[in-house]
Amino acid sequence: MKIIIPYLILSALIFGIYWLIKKIVKRFRKTRESADLEKNFKQVARKARMKRIFLPVYLTLTALVVVFGIVMQINSAQMEKLYFKTYDLAGDFVDIQAPNVGYNSAYINDYGVFTSNLHLDTYKNIDGYHVTWKPLDFPFGTLSMYMSHENYDMYASPQITSNGYYTQKDNQKITTFFQTKVNFKSKDYYGLQPTHEASTFKNQPNELAEIAVTFKEPLTYAQIQALVPKNLLINWYWIGLSDSKNLDAAYNLDYFGLNSDSKTFDNGNANQPTGKLSASSYKTFVKDVNNWPTEQTSSTGEFNPLKDARKQIKKYPTLASAKFSGVILTGQTKNFGTLDDEPWVFATNVGLTTPIVPYVKPLK
């Protein structure tokens, strides 16, 4: 009996210790599981919160990338269309509004994603000689109006001296026409007085020159062919103005007209002016004037040269009916000597001149 009692006490003590350890372990496990659950919950909540924050950002960025790609493709296609449109517009400008001007190259010299510039290297044909002239620039783009007329400083804002108009940057003399019925003595007139510069070449041989000839009265194509001396070349025909008394028009140098037809000559000179016009070339000129954008022609006071030109071509829709107020002639200076004495000539104004060289034969 004495032996059993200590054994029972030891067993009870061992069981108590076991039970206590089991309780502690169970509580530890429960605490750990609770901590793990709380940790897991926090992790899940954090991941959910991150998804709520970054998923919209990701979707937004993805959408922006897709939209940007689409916009760039549309912009690229639009820039290509604008390039071809500007190229055609530049060619039309030279054909209808650039007296005796041609170009030998046209290229993009300032390329951008949204804006670019079409550059034309130009020249004037002086009796077969190509003489460098003021380049033309035609900016265009999806974010701005293409072809700003303000770039043509030799037409819009030339320098004025006592004997003529000159380009702003290159100081090249501009051939000038005159309105025959303007009161040049009026206090309201501040432009050039009519010039007679053809006669100044009498003592200046061995050179070629271009001269703007203003007629006393508008002449038909047939009359011009009969009156102009055969030793001078007609490079350009000026359609004149519907109102030759308009003072605002007298200050505007945006002349409308057309170059004479060209051909390849037997001596190898390609695309040289013939001095002649065809009915089809005049018809093309009429179409180009009617299609020319109104906003691309600058006005002087209340005078708009494009609107006036449209009045002229409406009055003279065909070459057979057309009348011209002047021409640009080129040739050897010795052949201009008596031009100012002709009864049909109102004024003559010199533009560019160039020396005759022995290795290039003039056309006239």
Side-chain angles (χ1 to χ4, degrees):
M1 187 71 175
K2 290 181 180 179
I3 297 174
I4 294 174
I5 291 173
Y7 177 76
L8 291 173
I9 293 172
L10 180 61
S11 297
L13 182 61
I14 292 173
F15 179 78
I17 293 171
Y18 169 75
W19 181 83
L20 181 62
I21 292 173
K22 187 177 180 180
K23 283 286 186 182
I24 292 171
V25 170
K26 188 176 181 180
R27 181 172 293 179
F28 174 76
R29 285 180 176 176
K30 189 175 183 180
T31 303
R32 184 176 179 182
E33 288 176 357
S34 178
D36 290 342
L37 182 61
E38 183 180 357
K39 182 179 179 181
N40 289 337
F41 177 76
K42 288 182 178 179
Q43 288 178 346
V44 171
R46 186 164 55 250
K47 288 181 179 179
R49 188 167 60 251
M50 294 293 286
K51 286 183 178 179
R52 286 197 304 270
I53 294 174
F54 288 104
L55 183 59
V57 173
Y58 172 77
L59 292 176
T60 301
L61 289 176
T62 302
L64 286 175
V65 170
V66 173
V67 171
F68 180 76
I70 294 174
V71 169
M72 291 305 294
Q73 285 185 339
I74 294 174
N75 178 76
S76 178
Q78 184 65 14
M79 285 293 287
E80 184 177 3
K81 289 181 181 179
L82 283 175
Y83 165 74
F84 287 111
K85 185 173 183 178
T86 304
Y87 184 87
D88 291 339
L89 211 59
D92 290 344
F93 177 85
V94 172
D95 289 340
I96 68 175
Q97 208 177 349
N100 191 30
V101 174
Y103 64 95
N104 45 30
S105 60
Y107 54 91
I108 301 294
N109 69 339
D110 184 12
Y111 179 80
V113 177
F114 299 105
T115 59
S116 294
N117 183 73
L118 177 64
H119 179 87
L120 269 60
D121 291 321
T122 68
Y123 64 88
K124 287 205 168 191
N125 191 304
I126 314 296
D127 199 17
Y129 283 46
H130 285 192
V131 180
T132 300
W133 179 241
K134 169 76 169 61
L136 296 175
D137 290 295
F138 299 82
F140 63 95
T142 56
L143 299 181
S144 61
M145 182 185 296
Y146 59 86
M147 235 203 86
S148 172
H149 192 278
E150 294 175 358
N151 284 278
Y152 313 132
D153 63 79
M154 69 286 203
Y155 302 110
S157 57
Q159 297 177 358
I160 303 174
T161 67
S162 59
N163 71 323
Y165 297 98
Y166 291 78
T167 59
Q168 293 283 7
K169 295 180 181 179
D170 301 319
N171 201 38
Q172 293 177 296
K173 193 170 184 295
I174 303 169
T175 46
T176 304
F177 293 101
F178 298 89
Q179 292 172 263
T180 57
K181 297 182 181 179
V182 163
N183 182 4
F184 296 102
K185 303 300 181 182
S186 169
K187 63 179 181 179
D188 297 322
Y189 179 76
Y190 301 100
L192 294 179
Q193 295 296 316
T195 56
H196 304 279
E197 296 179 340
S199 58
T200 63
F201 288 137
K202 291 179 179 179
N203 299 318
Q204 191 176 352
N206 301 321
E207 286 196 16
L208 302 175
E210 68 164 351
I211 288 186
V213 180
T214 303
F215 304 145
K216 285 185 177 179
E217 297 291 341
L219 301 174
T220 66
Y221 172 71
Q223 288 174 323
I224 294 171
Q225 293 297 315
L227 291 172
V228 171
K230 301 305 179 185
N231 57 3
L232 295 174
L233 180 65
I234 306 172
N235 290 62
W236 195 78
Y237 291 77
W238 178 43
I239 63 171
L241 302 169
S242 63
D243 182 6
S244 58
K245 296 181 181 180
N246 191 317
L247 282 179
D248 288 335
Y251 306 129
N252 194 296
L253 301 184
D254 285 326
Y255 304 125
F256 279 84
L258 63 163
N259 287 306
S260 70
D261 295 339
S262 60
K263 72 171 186 178
T264 299
F265 286 79
D266 295 337
N267 60 5
N269 285 328
N271 297 322
Q272 295 286 15
T274 62
K276 305 293 180 63
L277 288 178
S278 64
S280 61
S281 61
Y282 186 84
K283 182 179 179 181
T284 300
F285 167 74
V286 170
K287 182 188 71 173
D288 290 342
V289 172
N290 281 324
N291 293 337
W292 185 253
T294 304
E295 67 274 8
Q296 298 301 337
T297 304
S298 60
S299 298
T300 302
E302 297 181 355
F303 174 77
N304 183 281
L306 177 60
K307 292 180 180 179
D308 190 86
R310 286 174 177 167
K311 289 181 182 179
Q312 290 289 81
I313 60 175
K314 186 177 181 180
K315 185 178 180 180
Y316 304 121
T318 65
L319 181 61
S321 64
K323 288 190 176 182
F324 301 91
S325 295
V327 291
I328 289 181
L329 303 179
T330 65
Q332 300 183 47
T333 51
K334 65 180 181 180
N335 296 332
F336 286 104
T338 61
L339 193 61
D340 278 317
D341 299 327
E342 297 291 343
W344 48 274
V345 173
F346 176 79
T348 57
N349 188 268
V350 176
L352 298 185
T353 60
T354 188
I356 298 175
V357 293
Y359 49 85
V360 180
K361 184 180 180 180
L363 294 178
K364 291 289 184 174

